[in-house]
Amino acid sequence: MKILVAVKRVVDYNVKVRAKADGSGVDTANVKMSMNPFDEIAVEEAVRLQEAGAVKEIVAVSLGVPACQDTIRTALAMGADRGILVETDVELQPLAVAKLLKAVVEKEQPNLVILGKQAIDDDANQTGQMLAALLGWPQGAFASKVAVGEGTVNVTREIDGGLETVALKLPAVITTDLRLNEPRFVKLPNIMKAKKKPLDEKTAADYGVDVSPRLEIVKTEEPESRKAGEIVGSVDELVAKLKEAGAV
Ligand code: AMP
């Protein structure tokens, strides 16, 4: 079996993001970038399936600026075998990513594509679903358990009020939820080994896909900062204050 994993380079989850002064987007200058956490879970799942003997090859794909190579190298250090960078300067929206991934899938012919359920920068939660629709493949979104069988995969999904298990025929698309696994720490020797693993560089134009944005970002602004709290001496004082503030 061959697995394709989509890995996105995003602002590190520890960084407090700031809106650009002109409101045109998020300021990413001099900001630490990392692999999208849900994509780490996707890579980890693929590597675990490979360690269990079900998988011959794992291909990590990232779309974006040349620095996405670092994200692919992280996936290679975690255990992916090969990487593909599809380079573009355009800020890709989910539909463009899904179309490019579809083109990569058609070339690579994987049995399974694993993506994160959402990228923590745009929080779109769209790409996996769009990719499955474009390919006409079954999808298991928000996976908290994945069990591969003969030509099938059972995906346990986190849904409102509980868990649902769906049986998908391969090839299929899976998106990962938080509780699927805990990604491993990358060890130094594996980082060194990853440098020698193959990484193909392509451009969006190689796939003949129109990646122009379909949505316009009107404004990006930071949430209002929280006002400082106040310690009150008694319940009566609390009620008086709440009345004063029009809260009760
Ligand atoms: P989104 O729909 O933007 O929330 O992203 C969902 C998932 O799609 C991510 O967790 C990634 O697995 C994948 N994805 C989105 N954008 C990219 C990208 N530029 N390169 C690689 N994978 C991506």
Side-chain angles (χ1 to χ4, degrees):
M1 188 160 104
K2 177 169 170 179
I3 302 183
L4 200 97
V5 188
V7 291
K8 184 175 188 186
R9 177 178 181 265
V10 297
V11 173
D12 188 272
Y13 71 96
N14 288 306
V15 171
K16 181 168 178 349
V17 292
R18 305 224 169 267
K20 283 186 194 161
D22 64 0
S24 63
V26 167
D27 192 358
T28 53
N30 303 317
V31 164
K32 182 173 186 244
M33 306 293 282
S34 302
M35 186 189 297
N36 182 42
F38 290 105
D39 303 351
E40 284 184 6
I41 296 173
V43 177
E44 177 67 33
E45 195 61 21
V47 174
R48 288 188 191 187
L49 289 171
Q50 192 175 46
E51 287 168 348
V55 178
K56 273 219 184 78
E57 193 182 32
I58 302 168
V59 183
V61 186
S62 194
L63 324 175
V65 293
C68 294
Q69 281 202 18
D70 299 344
T71 315
I72 297 175
R73 290 282 172 213
T74 305
L76 297 176
M78 287 176 75
D81 300 294
R82 183 157 76 73
I84 302 174
L85 166 69
V86 182
E87 209 186 305
T88 172
D89 288 338
V90 178
E91 257 202 50
L92 296 173
Q93 292 178 349
L95 182 59
V97 176
K99 285 180 180 173
L100 280 171
L101 286 175
K102 175 177 182 263
V104 176
V105 165
E106 279 166 354
K107 175 128 201 317
E108 292 289 331
Q109 303 277 317
N111 308 83
L112 196 58
V113 184
I114 313 184
L115 306 90
K117 76 165 176 183
Q118 75 193 61
I120 61 163
D121 51 2
D122 62 18
D123 266 347
N125 178 2
Q126 294 173 4
T127 309
Q129 294 88 330
M130 285 178 170
L131 176 64
L134 290 173
L135 288 165
W137 288 10
Q139 59 175 295
F142 316 122
S144 63
K145 192 171 168 214
V146 170
V148 174
E150 266 306 305
T152 60
V153 59
N154 280 4
V155 177
T156 303
R157 316 178 50 232
E158 296 193 8
I159 56 166
D160 281 352
L163 297 173
E164 172 189 65
T165 302
V166 289
L168 313 177
K169 275 205 185 113
L170 294 174
V173 175
I174 291 176
T175 71
T176 61
D177 213 327
L178 202 59
R179 278 161 288 275
L180 179 58
N181 62 49
E182 230 176 84
R184 66 197 61 196
F185 284 109
V186 180
K187 296 193 190 116
L188 189 61
N190 292 343
I191 295 176
M192 302 314 284
K193 266 191 228 157
K195 292 190 176 162
K196 296 206 182 96
K197 291 187 180 177
L199 199 169
D200 266 359
E201 288 176 42
K202 306 271 187 200
T203 65
D206 291 339
Y207 295 99
V209 171
D210 170 13
V211 292
S212 51
R214 300 296 200 272
L215 305 171
E216 184 196 344
I217 306 229
V218 181
K219 197 171 177 202
T220 305
E221 52 189 352
E222 287 180 29
E224 248 181 59
S225 54
R226 251 178 99 173
K227 292 195 188 85
E230 199 183 322
I231 295 177
V232 290
S234 67
V235 173
D236 287 345
E237 194 186 339
L238 171 66
V239 172
K241 292 230 179 235
L242 286 173
K243 276 189 183 155
E244 212 176 280
V248 288

